[in-house]
Amino acid sequence: VRVRAARAADVGAILAIEDEAFRTDRLTRRKLVRLLSRGNCALLVVVARREVAGYALVLFRRGAASARLYGIAVRAPDRGRGLGRRLLRAAEAVARRRGAARITLETDPSNEAAVRLYRSHGFRLVRRLGPYYEDSSPADRWSKGL
Ligand SMILES: CC(C)(COP(=O)(O)OP(=O)(O)OC[C@H]1O[C@@H](n2cnc3c(N)ncnc32)[C@H](O)[C@@H]1OP(=O)(O)O)[C@@H](O)C(=O)NCCC(=O)NCCS
């Protein structure tokens, strides 16, 4: 198992993982291509048995102290094997290397796996955001100092 920067050829696998993982607010090919072309992001994949098994996307803004973990997902059959943890650690390392003082993210408060993952990595709950997702459900914002 290893984590590496994504290549153009990984986009199809990433979108398939995204479609399986989320009901709403999915990353589309168009959005992903737009984000990548701006260059102020890091897209990582975890590779297991030579296949892309998960991804993490970190966004940066010029002059901002915070990096934002915009998305993280592992394909269903590979969950619970430590791949999410590997991706999160790699995302934090990229953000640290790019000089971010902290990394933030939003998650559905009912997403127990994600909440446990973030909590156990030292993220702190910052606040509840109002209607946030496309279906108007709320999100929690989490932050971790780097
Ligand atoms: C959240 C997600 C990325 C975690 O990836 P994963 O590879 O399954 O996670 P790991 O195996 O590395 O587990 C890391 C920790 O996450 C938590 N966790 C993972 N799966 C869990 C589950 N089903 N229930 C509760 N906690 C869980 C645990 O704290 C676990 O640590 P532990 O094994 O020491 O208890 C994965 O479940 C996923 O892709 N979910 C769908 C997409 C998603 O919700 N992404 C987050 C959106 S903000």
Side-chain angles (χ1 to χ4, degrees), residues 21-22 72-74 79-85 106-107 111 113-114 116-118:
F22 299 107
I72 182 168
V74 172
R79 289 183 196 152
R81 300 175 43 222
L83 302 187
R85 215 178 262 300
E106 290 79 37
T107 193
N111 188 342
R116 279 188 54 178
L117 173 65
Y118 303 140

Side-chain angles (χ1 to χ4, degrees), residues 87-100:
L87 279 168
L88 185 56
R89 260 206 309 269
E92 289 174 13
V94 168
R96 210 176 286 119
R97 274 204 303 279
R98 301 263 290 235

Side-chain angles (χ1 to χ4, degrees), residues 17 20-22 55 69-76 78-87 105-108 111-118 120-121 133:
I17 292 167
E20 178 190 56
F22 299 107
Y55 84 91
L69 182 68
Y70 189 77
I72 182 168
V74 172
R75 63 183 183 181
D78 288 308
R79 289 183 196 152
R81 300 175 43 222
L83 302 187
R85 215 178 262 300
R86 292 280 295 264
L87 279 168
L105 60 89
E106 290 79 37
T107 193
D108 175 344
N111 188 342
E112 278 176 46
V115 167
R116 279 188 54 178
L117 173 65
Y118 303 140
S120 69
H121 272 252
Y133 293 108

Side-chain angles (χ1 to χ4, degrees), residues 9-59:
D10 299 324
V11 167
I14 291 167
L15 294 173
I17 292 167
E18 186 75 2
D19 284 349
E20 178 190 56
F22 299 107
R23 285 178 286 112
T24 179
D25 297 71
R26 288 179 181 144
L27 209 53
T28 60
R29 180 176 298 270
R30 192 168 155 184
K31 183 155 196 186
L32 192 53
V33 167
R34 181 154 43 86
L35 288 168
L36 294 175
S37 71
R38 280 200 254 146
N40 48 0
C41 65
L43 181 60
L44 305 171
V45 291
V46 63
V47 179
R49 296 181 307 276
R50 296 189 177 174
E51 286 181 28
V52 171
Y55 84 91
L57 177 59
V58 189
L59 305 186

